[in-house]
Amino acid sequence: MLIKNEYAKNATAWCGLNRNDMKPEEADCVIFGIPFDGGASYRGGAAEAPDYLRQNTLCSTPSTEKLEYYADYNVVDLGNFEVDKTREEMFDEVQKAVAEIVKYGQKFTMVGGDHSVTIPVLRGINDAVDEDFGIIHIDAHMDLCYALEGDFLSHGNTERRALELEHVSGYENIYFIGIRSIEPDEFELYKSEPIQVKRAYDCYKEGIEAVADDCIKKMKRFNNVYLTFDIDALDPAYAAGTGTPQFGGLTSRMALTLLERIFTELNIIGFDVVEIAPPLDPSLASMYAGRKIIQEVWGYWADQIGKLEKKD
C-alpha cells in the first residue's frame, strides 16, 4: 500500500513538477519512496531519505546543470510504500506495483531506503518483461553476498538475488561501476566468474569517459536497462551521510558525466537512488547529491520526449 503524506501531495515538490491532479498513467514519470532500512548491516538512517528529498525539492527548479529547463515535464508522486508490516509483504507489494508500471511502459524513479529495497524493484521488472534486461549497479560495493550476517534480503544481497531472476541470465546482464570494497564470498566470485566491473580505481586510471564507453558497449544489447545508484559510490567528501562510506570514490563530476552518457545512449526504463542517510550528515550533502542526480536524469528523459527547453 502506498501512502501519500503532506509532502507527496505538495504540488511544489519535486521542483514544482508534482502533478497531483494527474493520473499516474498520464505522467511522464512516476516516483515513489521505500522508507526502509531494515536490511542495513551497519548504520541506519536511510529510511528517512524519501521525505527529506521531498521537503528539499520544494525550493528547487526543474533545470539541469547546462541551464536547460523542463517545467512541462509531468511527475506524479505515488507516495511511500507502507513498511509497518513484514518485509516479505512489503517487498511483494513493491514487486507488483513495479511490474504494473513497467508493463504500462512508464519511466519511474525510486528513492530508498537501504539497497535491499532494489531487490523487489528488480523482481517487478523481471515479471513485466519477456526478455533479458540489463542492470547498471553504481556503488562502492557489488552486493553479491549470498547472505549477509544470515540475511538473504539485506543490502549486501541485491545483485545476488538479481542473478536468480528468469530474465537475468548471468553476470553479463550486470555492470558494476565504482566498486572499492569486497566481502569474502564476493571475492571468491570475483576470482572465478566473468563479473563486469569497473572499480573506482579504474574510473580514475582509465577516465570516466572510457568507463562509460565500455558500459554502454556491454549494455547496448538490452532493450531495457535499470540503473541503481547507491550514494556511497561517491567519495565521502561528496556524500558522507550514508551507512557504509568508503574512501576513494567517484567525484561529483565523474558521476554526472557517467549518468549523462548512460541516460542519453541507453534505454533506461527506471532508476533509483538509495542509501542516503540524512541523520548521519547534518549538512545533508548526500541528500543534495541525490537530489541533483534525480534532477539531471529527469532532464535527460524530458529531452527524449521534447520537453527540455534549451537556449537557441
Side-chain angles (χ1 to χ4, degrees):
M1 180 178 177
L2 283 153
I3 299 174
K4 282 196 173 191
N5 60 20
E6 59 177 305
Y7 296 111
K9 295 176 182 177
N10 195 319
T12 58
W14 303 118
C15 310
L17 302 176
N18 194 20
R19 315 297 190 214
N20 283 300
D21 57 346
M22 186 175 283
K23 295 179 180 178
E25 59 269 23
E26 297 172 337
D28 298 315
C29 168
V30 295
I31 187 168
F32 56 87
I34 309 180
F36 175 82
D37 57 16
S41 61
Y42 188 36
R43 303 186 299 174
E48 298 185 34
D51 286 341
Y52 262 88
L53 269 161
R54 287 186 178 95
Q55 288 176 256
N56 286 281
T57 57
L58 300 178
C59 57
S60 240
T61 57
S63 61
T64 72
E65 66 167 350
K66 295 180 181 178
L67 308 185
E68 303 156 332
Y69 220 67
Y70 52 96
D72 293 330
Y73 192 69
N74 299 311
V75 176
V76 169
D77 190 336
L78 302 177
N80 288 336
F81 278 90
E82 193 176 11
V83 297
D84 59 345
K85 54 184 64 179
T86 69
R87 177 170 57 180
E88 289 71 18
E89 289 173 329
M90 186 264 288
F91 275 22
D92 186 57
E93 288 185 358
V94 174
Q95 180 177 342
K96 290 176 180 176
V98 169
E100 289 183 13
I101 292 168
V102 175
K103 285 178 182 177
Y104 190 75
Q106 193 167 46
K107 302 284 192 184
F108 71 95
T109 302
M110 182 270 278
V111 180
D114 68 56
H115 217 155
S116 71
V117 299
T118 300
I119 294 173
V121 172
L122 295 176
R123 288 173 173 175
I125 295 171
N126 183 74
D127 290 345
V129 299
D130 57 7
E131 60 182 345
D132 268 20
F133 67 98
I135 303 167
I136 298 174
H137 183 101
I138 304 175
D139 196 331
H141 317 84
M142 288 191 286
D143 299 346
L144 280 173
C145 296
Y146 184 67
L148 191 61
E149 299 177 355
D151 188 352
F152 292 89
L153 294 174
S154 83
H155 67 167
N157 310 135
T158 309
E159 301 309 344
R160 190 62 170 262
R161 299 289 81 83
L163 288 165
E164 298 166 356
L165 299 174
E166 177 186 0
H167 297 299
V168 177
S169 297
Y171 292 101
E172 65 272 18
N173 291 62
I174 309 173
Y175 198 100
F176 298 92
I177 301 175
I179 309 303
R180 54 194 187 277
S181 176
I182 197 164
E183 297 294 325
D185 56 338
E186 291 177 320
F187 184 62
E188 294 306 313
L189 292 175
Y190 180 59
K191 290 192 298 182
S192 61
E193 301 292 342
I195 297 174
Q196 301 179 126
V197 56
K198 290 294 184 181
R199 304 160 299 178
Y201 180 88
D202 302 316
C203 294
Y204 279 83
K205 287 291 185 178
E206 298 175 16
I208 202 65
E209 291 282 3
V211 168
D213 286 342
D214 191 66
C215 175
I216 291 163
K217 179 182 177 182
K218 300 290 176 51
M219 293 286 106
K220 198 85 172 180
R221 69 186 186 89
F222 298 107
N223 291 321
N224 301 300
V225 179
Y226 184 76
L227 185 141
T228 178
F229 196 112
D230 187 324
I231 208 69
D232 71 25
L234 298 175
D235 189 86
Y238 305 95
T242 188
T244 52
Q246 290 287 340
F247 192 67
L250 305 183
T251 66
S252 55
R253 175 49 47 201
M254 293 170 76
L256 291 175
T257 298
L258 181 64
L259 292 172
E260 179 182 20
R261 293 289 311 282
I262 288 171
F263 276 84
T264 55
E265 298 183 50
L266 295 173
N267 182 37
I268 308 296
I269 61 172
F271 77 101
D272 66 51
V273 182
V274 297
E275 297 284 357
I276 296 169
L280 300 179
D281 178 12
S283 74
L284 297 180
S286 296
M287 186 281 301
Y288 286 113
R291 188 182 74 174
K292 185 62 173 176
I293 288 167
I294 292 170
Q295 283 181 272
E296 291 299 312
V297 167
W298 285 353
Y300 307 139
W301 280 350
D303 195 24
Q304 291 167 14
I305 57 175
K307 291 189 174 183
L308 186 69
E309 296 182 61
K310 306 176 183 180
K311 183 179 179 180
D312 294 333

